[in-house]
Amino acid sequence: MKPARRPSNPLFSSGPCAKRPGWSLDALDGALLGRSHRSKPGKAKLKEVIDLTRAVLAIPGDYRIGIVPASDTGAVEMALWNLLGERGVDMMAWESFGKEWVTDVTKQLRLSDVRTIQAPYGELPDLSQADFSRDVVFTWNGTTSGVRVPDGDWIPADREGLSICDATSAAFAMDIPWSKIDVATWSWQKVLGGEAAHGMLVLSPRAVARLESFQPDRPLPKIFRLTSGGKLIEGIFVGDTINTPSMLCVEDAIDGLRWSLSVGGLTQLIRRSEQNLRIVSEWVAASTWAGFLGDDPATRSCTSICLRFTDPEVTALTPEAQADFAKKLATLLEKEEAAFDAGSYRDAPPGLRLWGGATVENEDMEAVLPWLDWAFATVKAETFGR
Ligand SMILES: Cc1ncc(COP(=O)(O)O)c(C=O)c1O
């Protein structure tokens, strides 16, 4: 039976993610449009993003927070290009994005001393293999496999190398222990449902010390440069951006951060997201056809919730036929306006992916699950001619 009720907001994309509850274009009324981002009010808006970010995420006062070009990719690559090469690096990867950073380091930067520590989709590599006398690059939450690191306990407090973390689908939904992190990056269009364009780059004092003591032997385009004359460009970390940001996106980022505070701050953002995972977990426990892509509950993501098929008839299909099945399922969910963008990532094993970040209401997560059951039964009947 087709469920009677649709989610009030059927947007489950893993990026750009659903806007915060109650959002409308009116939220952008205060945007500083047609004015210079380097004007006094322009800089104040940019600094407000930085200050609110520090407040919501409880980022230590001696860490720098910058708004940088080219979304999360820009922020990660800025870190890799500026910081790596001073010592060996361990690259930890378990899904598409982590693997992209491995490609960057091995094929583009072509660093000589690189160890790659990988695991397949659904698993986490052995974190104890990371050698923190070296630099270590990892993704806090693997958006395409729905597997996250459980905590920061595997990162020593007295490390010699830098811990460099792509936290784009983790920040604002997972607890990030800042003392264990030297570099963190994310983009605005994830957990707070902001607009895509800009990246956030957080640097610990040790990361800054590296920037000021190590000059990489490679050209750096202006868009990546964090130092001038061997000193950190401090302006980047108070709102003096490298190039021109969208002040409309900036206003929206401020709106998302203010909303975070209005619902009770980071604790409540995490609670909302973990509750979404709990709702899906209860449904999976009773499901005859769906399971988590990640087997270990301790590493299952509360933001990018990735599901695979467990139905014996579907798993007996060829990989291509399973991918086709998954596509049909996602298409049907869209046609019914029950869930948009719920298909798994193009490189990931076939299945579904539901974003459960803080902007997704728990009631909507509850409401979408009967639709998954209905859509699965419908596509299965079509596929097997019943
Ligand atoms: C873990 C991770 N890293 C990097 C990216 C790329 O982010 P952006 O498109 O903001 O550059 C994504 C996007 O989904 C991601 O999930």
Side-chain angles (χ1 to χ4, degrees), residues 14 70-74 97 101 139 141 143 166 168-169 187 189-190:
S14 290
S71 206
D72 181 63
T73 307
F97 289 104
W101 312 141
T139 304
N141 179 72
T143 319
D166 173 358
T168 203
S169 53
S187 55
Q189 69 272 20
K190 293 284 187 185

Side-chain angles (χ1 to χ4, degrees), residues 315-336:
T315 51
L317 295 169
T318 62
E320 294 75 30
Q322 277 192 59
D324 189 48
F325 189 98
K327 214 176 210 165
K328 284 188 179 139
L329 200 51
T331 305
L332 181 57
L333 290 165
E334 294 207 2
K335 187 166 153 262
E336 291 292 335

Side-chain angles (χ1 to χ4, degrees), residues 161-245:
L162 300 176
S163 61
I164 300 174
C165 174
D166 173 358
T168 203
S169 53
F172 299 101
M174 300 175 197
D175 189 30
I176 297 179
W178 292 106
S179 66
K180 301 294 184 78
I181 300 293
D182 294 302
V183 178
T185 67
W186 66 89
S187 55
W188 288 345
Q189 69 272 20
K190 293 284 187 185
V191 176
L192 298 187
E195 287 303 293
H198 308 296
M200 297 300 290
L201 177 68
V202 174
L203 300 175
S204 75
R206 294 180 63 248
V208 173
R210 167 76 63 83
L211 285 170
E212 294 189 332
S213 62
F214 168 66
Q215 179 89 41
D217 180 22
R218 63 186 78 105
L220 279 179
K222 170 185 166 172
I223 207 85
F224 271 11
R225 261 176 260 151
L226 290 169
T227 58
S228 170
K231 296 300 274 180
L232 186 75
I233 305 172
E234 293 281 1
I236 296 172
F237 303 93
V238 289
D240 209 350
T241 48
I242 297 172
N243 66 337
T244 315

Side-chain angles (χ1 to χ4, degrees), residues 100-174:
E100 295 282 355
W101 312 141
V102 173
T103 303
D104 268 4
V105 168
T106 54
K107 301 224 164 83
Q108 297 295 322
L109 287 171
R110 294 192 210 125
L111 299 183
S112 54
D113 185 3
V114 182
R115 295 197 315 160
T116 302
I117 302 166
Q118 301 206 53
Y121 285 94
E123 291 172 36
L124 202 60
D126 177 4
L127 298 176
S128 71
Q129 280 188 33
D131 174 359
F132 281 91
S133 68
R134 303 155 63 80
D135 294 330
V136 177
V137 178
F138 70 102
T139 304
W140 193 279
N141 179 72
T143 319
T144 64
S145 73
V147 172
R148 58 172 156 178
V149 296
D151 49 42
D153 293 356
W154 55 288
I155 306 170
D158 60 348
R159 60 196 173 276
E160 292 161 41
L162 300 176
S163 61
I164 300 174
C165 174
D166 173 358
T168 203
S169 53
F172 299 101
M174 300 175 197

